[in-house]
């Protein structure tokens, strides 16, 4: 009897606890994403035509994983944070050993054989793992400010989180996967922005970083090393006309005008001028078909999810929850900003997916698990320890 | 614990959420701003680029008109040829190029040179593409007019020849080769100057790679022959594939197409068989020219200048070796000797001066002069070829006595002779409109005053026998003899008979424009005098002692006049090979005449450059042509309409002989 009551109570608690706004926002984006994917791939080779169906499978699978991520009390993640971190790093190293080469970069690990099985990208999950471990670090190291107005963290207080972020950054950058590496950096920056740094330390940091890089660039680095860096910062420039890609992406977006060419009627997509339209460039397809109005709605939805995520962080019951929510939100935000910034020409071309818009199992599951974690933090804000 | 039940240590973060939210909003506004810029402010520009990305104007080729002779024999047409192009930026120089070079049969040097060129073009294009995504990469022509089996070999290996294409282009073809070189001229590729000199508004009519007429009929009738290219808008996707589905075609904005206008066909008055007969008759001579004209219309039946070159060699461009051989040939094969060059006419001018003398009353038909081989006039010796004694005007023409005509010239005066020469069309262009027709020269007293600072009677004496400064073209002589033959009507020489619509599957072949005979003038010549002179010309061929008597034919009654013209002496310093100087100092041989005598149909003028005596060397050529015309060619064409009735001969439709 009491067991039944307790079970009912748990269901009730879940129903009340579910963050319906977040759920609806995410589902809307996913729905639009699938609809757009149908249009994006309808023109391509027959082999890709059913990509949107696979994407639905991934959304379902990701949804299940998200439910799991939301159901397990996040304090378990807190407890196991560094174990998970260690596992992530091991997987990243394994990529170099087992990884398969695609377009000159090894990012994937095959599971269940190359033909039948699927492959996954450890670097995708590393973003969540980094958010978890940074949150764990801040949780364990409160550094309550000495007094009102004064105090704050010194530079030395950032050494450990910097190492935590630096190791996966270096490994991912080595693959090379600059886009994901930059996202890792962005997550690190956002989570660290939560802390209070001493203003003297901030000044030292800014001056130090700029001076070091200026000196290194002008005096220490040889020309071929500089070339390596420039081509590293913008790797695709040297491979095959990245300019061509971004040029046509911008034309397609511009061709959308105010209200777009209409669903399935985007000419630039239809005549194959948009490259990688199902992975890195789904946004131009969308913007051409739905115009400025559609683009505003989509960006609005993403902004809503991001602001809601920050809201969840602000109501989190502990430092781990707050930092985790910010980390996950930052991941989503940077993905959106980098991707749309890249296709509109605000940023150089770096391969970064658009959350829930781009096709891809690892990407979809990662984002959805992240949403699950946000939900987790949101649901447990009132839990008394 | 606060109101939310939060642990107190979250306080460090509290002030930061607002800033994080503001940064997120701010950065997203940057995106919105950029989108507004692309989609709202620069919409028109981007929409235009997007449209141009997929809708392309492709040119629709036109076809150059066919040139036929009066009987429909094709003299110039287009044949299929294949050109090989390569897109260097897309070419695999390691795998594809060696295969291509092998299939094209390139020699080692050619192969290496081309590879260097392609490698450089590839490098330049790839670099340019990196800077400007809109950069149009080049396509380079690597081989023109490849053999048919090479083209099929390429076709077999199509799958392994990425970035290589071979395109069929129509190429001008002259089946009669050198026979029609001067008449038809040739076409070759336009150059930068041609394109730059096009008047505004016609800039699109010619594009690099087009071929235009450079001389002869091809040049003079270019406007009719060329036609006008058209265009069509098509939808092409990013991979270069043409899309033709209904919804694709719907994207094309009006106007969608401009049909090409095919070039008009041109039908000549020329009879290719008679030109071939001229060539045959000329077989024993090195250089010279023939013009045959229809006496009653002025239509040109044959023009032939020897030597010629094969115009087909010009179409694809001469090799260095070929060009040098042509330019160094002392017989100047490029010169149209029928009308570009003017020559001393010699005794062929005598009939006109006889008419001038009779017309002026200076001499009568019964006048005699004493020929003692030499005439002394103010210490200058004027010579005759023979020793004719007392000689009548009739005999003086038949035997070509110079002494008689010196006296005639002295009595008639230069200006009276030159006035009648001018009446017959000498000293003026006839208006044939080809190859920079020379006007020749008929000197007058005024001309001598101007150029020699004074006039002497000797000038008139030399002019009387067609020497001195008198120069005529073969064409002028033929037209003037036609005027003698037809009783005093001077016609304009006409090469083109009509302009016709091109023959296609849909029909065509109809006459668009016809050129009726064009009379220049009725000559003010007394009919009796004319009859008298014609009778003398009959005697030249048919009376014993006539200068062409030995070459006469009994199959056609021919009247005419021989001429042996002295040439300007060339010396050791003229630049001519010393071994050839004897040849270039030899007299020009002439014959001009018409037939049949009773009712003349055609007139022929023959010049054999440095042929020697006109009777021996030029007359036989004319005789053979007259024979060929009346006994062989004319009867064989008897069943054919004189003018086209809209249905060309079957042979004319097939195009060039294979």
């Amino acid at each position: 009897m009491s067991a039944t009551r307790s079970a009912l109570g748990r269901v009730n608690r879940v129903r009340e606890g579910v963050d319906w706004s977040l759920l609806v926002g995410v589902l809307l984006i996913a729905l639009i994403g699938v609809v757009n994917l149908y249009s994006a791939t309808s023109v391509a080779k027959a082999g890709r035509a059913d990509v949107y169906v696979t994407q639905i499978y991934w959304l379902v699978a990701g949804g299940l994983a998200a439910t799991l991520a939301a159901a397990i009390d996040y304090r378990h993640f807190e407890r196991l944070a560094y174990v998970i971190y260690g596992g992530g790093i091991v997987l990243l190293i394994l990529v170099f050993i087992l990884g398969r080469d695609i377009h000159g970069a090894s990012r994937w690990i095959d599971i269940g054989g190359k033909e039948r099985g699927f492959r996954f990208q450890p670097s995708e999950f590393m973003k969540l793992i980094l958010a978890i471990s940074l949150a764990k670090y801040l949780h364990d190291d409160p550094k309550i400010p000495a007094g009102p107005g004064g105090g704050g963290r010194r530079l030395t207080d950032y050494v450990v989180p910097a190492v935590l972020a630096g190791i996966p950054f270096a490994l991912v950058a080595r693959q090379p996967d600059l886009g994901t590496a930059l996202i890792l950096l962005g997550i690190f920056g956002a989570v660290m922005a939560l802390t209070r740094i001493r203003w003297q330390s901030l000044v030292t940091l800014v001056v130090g970083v700029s001076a070091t890089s200026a000196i290194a660039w002008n005096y220490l680095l040889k020309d071929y090393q500089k070339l390596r860096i420039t081509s590293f910062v913008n790797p695709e420039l040297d491979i095959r006309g990245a300019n061509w890609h971004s040029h046509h992406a911008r034309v397609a977006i511009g061709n959308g005008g105010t209200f777009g060419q209409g669903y399935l009627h985007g000419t630039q997509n239809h005549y194959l001028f948009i490259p990688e339209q199902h992975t890195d460039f789904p946004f131009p397809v969308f913007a051409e078909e739905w115009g400025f109005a559609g683009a505003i709605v989509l960006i609005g939805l993403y902004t809503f999810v991001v602001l809601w995520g920050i809201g969840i962080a602000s109501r989190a019951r502990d430092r781990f929850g707050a930092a985790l929510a910010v980390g996950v939100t930052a991941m989503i935000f940077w993905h959106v900003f980098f991707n749309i910034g890249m296709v509109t020409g605000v940023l150089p071309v770096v391969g970064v997916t658009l959350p829930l818009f781009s096709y891809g199992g690892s990407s979809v599951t990662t984002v959805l698990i992240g949403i699950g974690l946000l939900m987790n933090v949101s649901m447990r804000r009132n839990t008394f320890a | 614990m606060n109101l939310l039940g939060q642990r107190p240590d979250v306080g460090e973060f509290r002030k930061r959420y607002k800033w994080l939210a503001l940064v997120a909003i701010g950065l997203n506004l940057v995106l919105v701003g950029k989108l507004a810029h692309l989609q709202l402010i620069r919409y028109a520009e981007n929409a235009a680029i997007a449209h141009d990305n997929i809708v392309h104007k492709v040119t629709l080729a036109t076809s150059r008109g066919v040139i036929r002779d009066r009987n429909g024999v094709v003299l110039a047409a287009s044949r299929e040829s294949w050109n090989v192009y390569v897109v260097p930026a897309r070419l695999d120089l390691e795998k594809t190029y060696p295969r291509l070079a092998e299939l094209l049969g390139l020699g080692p040097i050619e192969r290496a040179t081309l590879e260097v060129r392609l490698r450089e073009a590839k490098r330049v294009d790839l670099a340019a593409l990196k800077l400007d995504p809109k950069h149009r990469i080049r396509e380079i022509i690597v081989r023109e007019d490849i053999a048919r089996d090479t083209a099929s070999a390429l076709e077999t290996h199509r799958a392994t020849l990425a970035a290589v294409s071979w395109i069929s282009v129509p190429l001008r073809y002259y089946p009669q080769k050198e026979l029609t070189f001067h008449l038809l001229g040739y076409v070759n590729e336009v150059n930068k100057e041609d394109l730059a000199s096009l008047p505004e508004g016609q800039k699109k009519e010619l594009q690099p790679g087009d071929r235009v007429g450079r001389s002869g009929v091809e040049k003079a009738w270019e406007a009719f022959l060329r036609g006008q290219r058209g265009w069509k808008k098509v939808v092409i996707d990013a991979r270069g594939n043409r899309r033709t589905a209904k919804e694709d075609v719907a994207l094309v904005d009006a106007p969608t197409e401009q049909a090409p206008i095919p070039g008009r066909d041109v039908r000549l008055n020329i009879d290719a068989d008679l030109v071939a007969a001229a060539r045959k008759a000329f077989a024993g001579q090195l250089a010279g020219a023939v013009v045959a004209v229809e006496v009653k219309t002025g239509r040109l039946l044959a023009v032939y200048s020897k030597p010629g070159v094969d115009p087909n060699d010009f179409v694809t461009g001469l090799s260095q070796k070929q060009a040098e051989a042509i330019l160094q040939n002392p017989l100047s094969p490029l010169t149209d000797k029928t009308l570009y060059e003017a020559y001393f006419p010699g005794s062929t001018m005598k009939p006109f001066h006889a008419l001038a003398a009779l017309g002026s009353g200076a001499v009568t038909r019964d006048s005699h002069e004493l020929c003692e081989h030499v005439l002394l006039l103010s210490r200058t010796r004027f010579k005759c070829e023979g020793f004719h004694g007392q000689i009548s005007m009739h005999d003086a023409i038949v035997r070509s006595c110079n002494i008689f005509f010196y006296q005639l010239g002295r009595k008639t005066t230069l200006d009276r002779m030159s006035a009648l020469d001018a009446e017959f069309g000498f000293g003026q262009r006839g208006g044939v409109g080809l190859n920079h027709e020379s006007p020749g020269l008929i000197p007058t007293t005024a001309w001598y005053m101007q150029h020699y600072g004074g006039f002497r009677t000797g000038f008139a004496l030399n002019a009387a026998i067609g020497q001195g400064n008198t120069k005529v073209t073969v064409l002028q002589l033929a037209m003037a003899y036609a005027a003698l033959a037809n009783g005093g009507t001077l016609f304009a020489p006409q090469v083109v008979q009509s302009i016709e619509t091109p023959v296609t599957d849909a029909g065509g072949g109809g006459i668009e424009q016809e050129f009726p005979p064009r009379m220049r003038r009725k000559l003010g010549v007394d009919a009796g005098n004319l009859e008298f002179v014609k009778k003398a010309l009959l005697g030249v061929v048919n009376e014993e002692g006539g200068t062409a008597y030995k070459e006469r034919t009994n199959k056609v009654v021919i009247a005419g006049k021989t001429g042996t013209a002295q040439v300007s002496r060339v010396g050791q310093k003229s630049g001519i090979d010393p071994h050839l100087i004897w040849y270039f100092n030899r007299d020009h041989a002439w014959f001009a005449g018409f037939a049949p005598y009773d009712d003349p149909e055609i007139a022929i003028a023959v010049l054999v450059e440095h042929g020697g005596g006109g009777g021996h060397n030029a007359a036989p050529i004319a005789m053979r042509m007259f024979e060929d015309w009346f006994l062989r060619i004319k009867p064989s064409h008897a069943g054919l309409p004189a003018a086209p009735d809209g249905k060309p001969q079957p042979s004319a439709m097939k195009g060039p002989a294979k």
Side-chain angles (χ1 to χ4, degrees):
Chain A
M1 195 68 184
S2 77
T4 321
R5 282 230 324 247
S6 129
L8 273 174
R10 192 176 296 164
V11 169
N12 260 339
R13 198 179 67 200
V14 167
R15 195 191 293 150
E16 285 163 19
V18 166
D19 194 328
W20 293 105
S21 307
L22 181 66
L23 191 62
V24 169
V26 167
L27 283 177
L28 270 177
I29 294 174
L31 180 68
I32 300 173
V34 170
V35 167
N36 185 59
L37 209 52
Y38 175 79
S39 173
T41 54
S42 63
V43 297
K45 283 180 244 159
R48 277 189 194 158
D50 56 354
V51 149
Y52 76 100
V53 181
T54 321
Q55 179 83 339
I56 293 173
Y57 294 154
W58 280 119
L59 284 168
V60 171
L64 292 174
T67 312
L68 203 65
I72 302 169
D73 191 323
Y74 68 76
R75 281 170 301 181
H76 295 298
F77 296 123
E78 185 238 300
R79 212 152 28 83
L80 294 168
Y82 293 137
V83 178
I84 299 171
Y85 181 82
I89 297 296
V90 168
L91 280 176
L92 278 182
I93 293 168
L94 273 179
V95 167
F96 287 101
I97 302 163
L98 307 172
R100 51 186 242 182
D101 245 33
I102 289 181
H103 295 317
S106 37
R107 301 174 183 174
W108 289 271
I109 290 181
D110 287 299
I111 291 173
K114 282 183 186 177
E115 301 304 318
R116 291 261 184 92
F118 67 98
R119 51 182 214 221
F120 89 110
Q121 270 178 286
S123 58
E124 285 289 331
F125 298 104
M126 195 63 219
K127 296 173 221 168
L128 293 175
I129 295 172
L130 180 65
I132 290 172
S133 35
L134 289 175
K136 165 78 173 168
Y137 174 78
L138 289 186
H139 186 80
D140 292 348
D141 184 23
K143 282 280 185 330
I144 308 289
R153 291 169 193 253
R154 298 164 183 281
L155 282 184
T156 47
D157 296 327
Y158 292 97
V159 169
V160 174
V163 170
L164 281 178
I167 293 170
F169 176 86
L171 286 170
V172 171
R174 210 46 201 99
Q175 289 181 352
D177 182 356
L178 187 70
T180 306
L182 286 176
I183 300 281
L184 290 175
L185 207 61
I187 294 170
F188 171 72
V191 175
M192 288 306 117
L194 283 172
T195 63
R196 186 151 76 191
I197 186 170
R198 279 159 44 122
W199 67 266
Q200 297 96 323
S201 304
L202 189 63
V203 171
T204 315
L205 182 70
V206 170
V207 172
V209 166
S210 27
T212 315
S213 39
I215 289 169
W217 188 259
N218 286 321
Y219 299 104
L220 297 179
L221 293 179
K222 302 216 167 76
D223 277 346
Y224 75 93
Q225 288 168 318
K226 287 186 200 175
L227 194 68
R228 264 188 207 166
I229 290 176
T230 46
S231 66
F232 177 75
V233 168
N234 213 340
E236 287 179 70
L237 205 62
D238 268 346
I239 300 174
R240 48 180 182 121
N243 272 339
W244 194 89
H245 288 179
S246 60
H247 164 76
H248 284 293
R250 281 199 300 280
V251 168
I253 293 168
N255 192 36
T258 314
F259 295 107
Q261 302 278 325
Y263 185 56
L264 296 177
H265 285 95
T267 57
Q268 301 304 289
N269 175 47
H270 194 82
Y271 296 104
L272 312 172
F273 283 90
I274 300 175
E276 312 276 331
Q277 69 278 74
H278 63 303
T279 54
D280 284 356
F281 289 79
F283 183 77
V285 177
F286 181 79
E288 190 187 17
E289 294 187 345
W290 300 93
F292 185 64
I296 288 289
V297 169
L298 183 65
I299 291 181
L301 279 172
Y302 279 123
T303 310
F304 168 77
V305 169
V306 167
L307 295 181
W308 201 260
I310 295 173
I312 288 172
S314 73
R315 292 189 299 274
R317 57 174 292 278
D318 55 20
R319 289 168 66 89
F320 180 79
L324 177 62
V326 165
V328 169
T329 307
M331 177 188 85
I332 292 168
F333 172 77
W334 289 122
H335 263 282
V336 173
F337 184 71
F338 282 157
N339 182 279
I340 299 182
M342 157 182 96
V343 298
T344 52
V346 173
L347 299 172
V349 174
V350 285
V352 163
T353 54
L354 188 57
L356 303 177
F357 246 64
S358 295
Y359 169 75
S362 298
S363 167
V364 165
T365 8
T366 307
V367 172
L368 286 180
I369 291 173
I371 298 295
L373 292 175
L374 276 182
M375 196 73 82
N376 196 332
V377 175
S378 174
M379 286 186 337
R380 289 184 175 76
R381 62 179 183 267
N382 296 322
T383 311
F384 291 89
Chain B
M1 290 283 166
N2 59 18
L3 280 175
L4 288 170
Q6 290 175 316
R7 278 168 41 168
D9 57 5
V10 297
E12 184 192 5
F13 300 167
R14 189 162 297 139
K15 286 181 182 165
R16 309 292 176 162
Y17 300 119
K18 183 174 65 189
W19 291 109
L20 287 178
L22 283 176
V23 167
I25 291 170
L27 288 178
N28 279 351
L29 281 179
V30 169
L31 296 181
V32 171
K34 180 70 183 182
L35 285 170
H37 181 242
L38 287 174
Q39 299 189 291
L40 305 181
I41 298 169
R42 287 179 53 193
Y43 165 69
E45 190 183 323
N46 281 316
I49 298 174
H51 179 264
D52 289 351
N53 271 344
I54 54 174
V55 178
H56 295 253
K57 245 187 195 183
V58 294
T59 46
L60 302 175
T62 176
S63 52
R64 197 172 173 86
V66 174
I67 304 175
R68 298 187 178 85
D69 87 340
R70 60 164 49 203
N71 300 307
V73 175
V74 173
L75 303 181
S78 299
R79 69 176 168 85
E80 189 180 55
S81 85
W82 294 88
N83 291 347
V84 183
Y85 297 83
V86 158
V87 180
R90 304 250 164 83
L91 182 71
D92 183 340
L93 281 156
E94 270 59 54
K95 282 186 190 158
T96 312
Y97 180 70
R99 192 172 296 122
L100 176 67
E102 195 176 318
L103 287 169
L104 292 178
L106 301 183
I109 297 174
E110 224 175 345
R111 185 171 173 157
T113 341
L114 184 59
E115 184 174 350
V116 169
R117 198 168 138 231
L118 292 175
R119 203 174 281 283
E120 174 64 13
K122 180 175 184 171
R123 192 186 62 75
V124 170
D125 267 352
L126 288 181
L129 202 60
K130 216 174 272 179
L131 293 175
D132 175 15
K134 281 180 270 182
H135 172 76
R136 297 237 152 157
I137 50 177
R138 274 174 293 179
E139 190 168 49
I140 286 183
I141 185 162
V142 295
R143 204 81 168 159
E144 274 185 283
D145 196 18
I146 54 169
R148 184 177 289 269
D149 50 344
T150 311
S152 50
L154 290 174
E155 196 60 51
T156 313
H157 293 84
R158 181 180 280 281
T160 58
L161 289 171
V164 181
S165 57
W166 43 101
I167 291 162
S168 161
V169 289
L171 202 60
R172 203 60 165 166
Y173 180 66
Y174 304 96
Q176 309 287 340
K177 303 198 172 142
E178 103 293 342
L179 183 68
T180 53
F181 173 71
H182 300 92
L183 167 67
L184 300 180
Y186 59 92
V187 296
N188 68 12
E189 210 164 300
V190 291
N191 50 40
K192 278 180 194 150
E193 289 80 49
D194 297 326
L195 295 173
S197 66
L198 282 177
E200 208 58 48
Q202 293 176 32
K203 291 281 181 203
K204 281 182 183 161
E205 284 190 14
L206 280 182
Q207 291 175 5
D210 283 352
R211 288 181 165 81
V212 292
R214 293 302 186 185
S215 65
V217 172
E218 291 277 28
K219 183 182 182 186
W221 297 81
E222 171 74 22
F224 292 90
L225 288 166
R226 186 197 298 160
Q228 210 175 61
R229 65 173 79 241
W231 50 259
K232 187 181 183 184
K233 289 181 190 163
V234 297
V235 175
I236 297 175
D237 71 23
R239 292 185 193 144
N241 296 323
R242 179 89 65 94
R243 301 289 197 90
T244 50
K246 213 188 214 170
E247 66 269 22
D248 300 323
V249 178
L251 290 167
V252 174
D253 52 325
T256 60
E257 185 176 355
Q258 187 179 316
I261 303 168
R264 312 282 95 171
D265 288 357
V266 170
R267 184 174 291 251
L268 305 183
N269 288 315
I270 303 293
D271 189 314
D273 288 342
L274 188 60
V275 187
R279 174 169 62 185
K280 201 172 82 187
F282 240 102
Q285 304 292 353
L286 285 175
V290 171
V291 171
V293 57
E294 227 173 47
V295 162
K296 289 164 191 163
T297 59
R299 287 174 166 156
L300 298 179
L301 286 170
V303 291
Y304 175 66
S305 175
K306 185 173 180 173
V309 287
D310 186 347
N312 295 305
D313 293 341
F314 286 78
V315 175
T316 46
L318 293 171
S319 71
Q320 184 76 15
K321 220 167 148 190
Q322 282 173 312
E324 274 171 15
I326 290 170
L327 291 173
Q328 286 168 4
N329 187 337
L331 301 176
S332 23
L334 294 181
T335 306
D336 185 349
K337 297 183 171 77
T338 61
L339 51 77
Y340 180 78
E341 194 80 52
Y343 302 84
F344 297 126
S347 302
T348 53
M349 286 303 276
K350 284 176 181 167
F352 308 104
H353 296 152
L355 283 172
L358 292 171
S360 71
V363 292
T364 66
R365 295 176 204 167
D366 305 324
S367 294
H368 283 67
E369 297 290 347
L370 180 65
C371 168
E372 291 176 313
H373 186 58
V374 175
L375 175 71
L376 262 173
L377 186 81
S378 50
R379 283 180 290 170
T380 309
R381 291 156 58 89
F382 291 87
K383 282 193 195 166
C384 182
E385 295 293 311
F387 193 101
H388 298 110
Q390 277 292 336
I391 190 165
S392 69
M393 185 184 249
H394 177 86
D395 288 347
I397 294 174
V398 170
R399 299 180 191 178
S400 204
C401 175
N402 285 352
I403 303 290
F404 184 95
F405 275 87
Y406 290 139
Q407 299 291 7
L408 177 147
R410 192 170 54 82
K411 292 173 185 165
T412 312
T413 73
L414 177 68
D415 287 347
R416 281 188 187 148
M417 287 190 293
S418 55
L420 195 82
D421 290 343
E423 276 278 286
F424 274 93
F426 295 107
Q428 314 145 8
R429 293 188 178 88
V432 72
L434 294 178
N435 297 346
H436 305 285
E437 187 184 5
S438 163
L441 178 66
I442 297 299
T444 59
T445 313
W447 187 87
Y448 279 110
M449 296 301 282
Q450 195 188 334
H451 290 86
Y452 283 65
F455 178 74
R456 285 181 282 133
T457 314
F459 294 146
L461 269 56
N462 277 329
I465 62 160
Q467 294 281 163
N469 295 87
T470 307
K471 285 200 164 183
V472 307
T473 66
V474 181
L475 177 66
Q476 284 173 337
L477 203 64
M479 299 313 292
Y481 271 76
L484 283 180
N486 67 26
T489 307
L490 183 69
F491 285 97
Q494 276 183 316
V495 167
V496 174
Q497 185 175 79
S498 56
I499 301 295
E500 297 169 14
T501 49
V503 181
T504 60
D505 295 339
I511 296 174
E512 281 194 357
Q513 196 180 346
E514 209 172 1
F515 301 98
R518 197 151 52 83
M519 192 183 82
R520 290 177 74 192
R521 54 185 160 261
K522 274 263 186 242
L523 303 173
V525 183
D526 176 74
N529 290 344
L530 197 57
E531 238 4 85
F532 173 79
V533 168
K534 281 167 77 177
K535 203 156 257 162
L537 294 179
L538 180 68
V540 169
V541 182
N542 300 290
E543 286 176 24
E544 201 161 346
T547 50
Y549 180 70
K550 286 177 183 159
E551 314 297 338
R552 74 190 180 283
T553 167
N554 56 10
K555 291 164 186 157
V556 192
V557 185
I558 299 163
K561 181 76 193 79
T562 60
T564 306
Q566 290 178 6
V567 298
S568 312
R569 297 270 140 192
V570 291
Q572 298 288 342
K573 289 173 185 167
S574 59
I576 291 173
D577 185 345
H579 296 98
L580 298 175
I581 284 183
W582 67 271
Y583 169 81
F584 287 97
N585 279 331
R586 220 157 64 165
D587 295 338
H588 288 325
W590 284 98
F591 182 86
F594 49 86
Y597 174 76
D598 291 333
D599 182 15
E601 287 176 24
I602 75 168
I604 294 178
V606 176
L607 163 74
V608 182
E609 270 189 348
H610 309 293
H616 274 303
N617 299 292
I621 292 174
M623 300 299 167
R624 268 176 240 163
M625 286 180 67
F626 280 123
E627 276 182 9
D628 261 347
W629 175 253
F630 287 107
L631 301 178
R632 187 173 62 83
I633 300 169
K634 207 181 137 200
S636 77
H637 292 161
L640 298 172
D645 64 351
K647 282 181 196 150
Q649 301 302 305
S651 68
M653 293 175 68
K654 277 186 196 147
K658 294 281 153 61

